[in-house]
């Protein structure tokens, strides 16, 4: 085993910990070479922490992915609905220049998220004077629902950003945890190679490549 991946590090730690715990004689020899029971317990704690960070990282990235999938489904629908409502509003308020100007729909913004933010401003103002839209089949309830959808979409975008930050932090925690666990395994192997230099089967049980033993 070469400890080149997190899987190999976990496997090596598990072999070392499981085998040393099963045999009091092995424990005695390793204790003399700087691996008393406390060092074994340290290894167990590092192993458990590495597993926890791996799970936590996976959870955050999965949550971020799920939010992205939801956003991708909703953003185009929201923008299409917004553009349709803008067309109606331009007709409904064609004689109310001041109010029409306040809606900020002289032209559509460029890009999906600028359009969504434009939609939020549009609906926030429009719901205050929505009766003119009734004649065109767009009730206040429809506009309020559209506003709620836009608000929820922007909330999801903020939540995705938060999850992304958590995922990035958890990745750093995971990298540090696995580096510490690997260092523990390397030290364990050094002691084991000396203690059991004439017992290749024991070395193999710890995940050590016998061919590398001098």
């Amino acid at each position: 085993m070469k400890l080149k991946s997190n899987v190999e590090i976990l496997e090596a730690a598990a072999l070392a910990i499981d085998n040393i715990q099963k045999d009091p004689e092995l424990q005695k020899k390793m204790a003399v070479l700087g691996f008393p029971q406390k060092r074994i317990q340290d290894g167990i704690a590092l192993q458990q922490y590495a597993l926890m960070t791996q799970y936590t990282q996976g959870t955050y990235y999965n949550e971020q992915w799920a939010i992205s999938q939801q956003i991708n489904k909703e953003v185009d629908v929201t923008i299409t609905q917004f553009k349709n409502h803008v067309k109606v509003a331009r007709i409904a308020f064609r004689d109310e220049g001041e109010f029409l100007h306040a809606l900020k729909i002289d032209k559509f913004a460029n890009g999906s998220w600028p359009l969504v933010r434009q939609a939020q401003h549009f609906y926030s103002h429009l719901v205050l004077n929505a009766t003119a839209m009734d004649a065109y089949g767009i009730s206040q309830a429809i506009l309020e629902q559209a506003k709620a959808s836009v608000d929820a979409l922007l909330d999801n975008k903020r939540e995705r950003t938060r999850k992304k930050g958590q995922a990035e932090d958890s990745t750093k925690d995971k990298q540090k945890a696995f580096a510490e666990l690997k260092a523990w395994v390397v030290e364990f192997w050094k002691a084991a190679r000396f203690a059991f230099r004439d017992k290749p089967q024991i070395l193999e049980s710890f995940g050590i490549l016998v061919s590398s033993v001098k």
Side-chain angles (χ1 to χ4, degrees), residues 76-95:
D76 288 340
V77 173
T78 299
I79 289 172
T80 297
Q81 178 179 248
F82 163 58
K83 288 183 175 181
N84 288 335
H85 287 169
V86 165
K87 291 176 183 177
V88 175
R90 285 172 175 166
I91 297 170
F93 299 104
R94 61 187 178 277
D95 296 326

Side-chain angles (χ1 to χ4, degrees), residues 35-54:
F35 264 84
Q37 189 59 31
K38 183 182 181 304
R39 291 293 304 277
I40 304 302
Q41 292 301 318
D42 289 344
I44 293 172
L46 290 170
Q47 178 192 41
Q48 292 174 343
Y49 184 63
L51 287 167
M52 185 193 75
T53 59
Q54 182 170 260

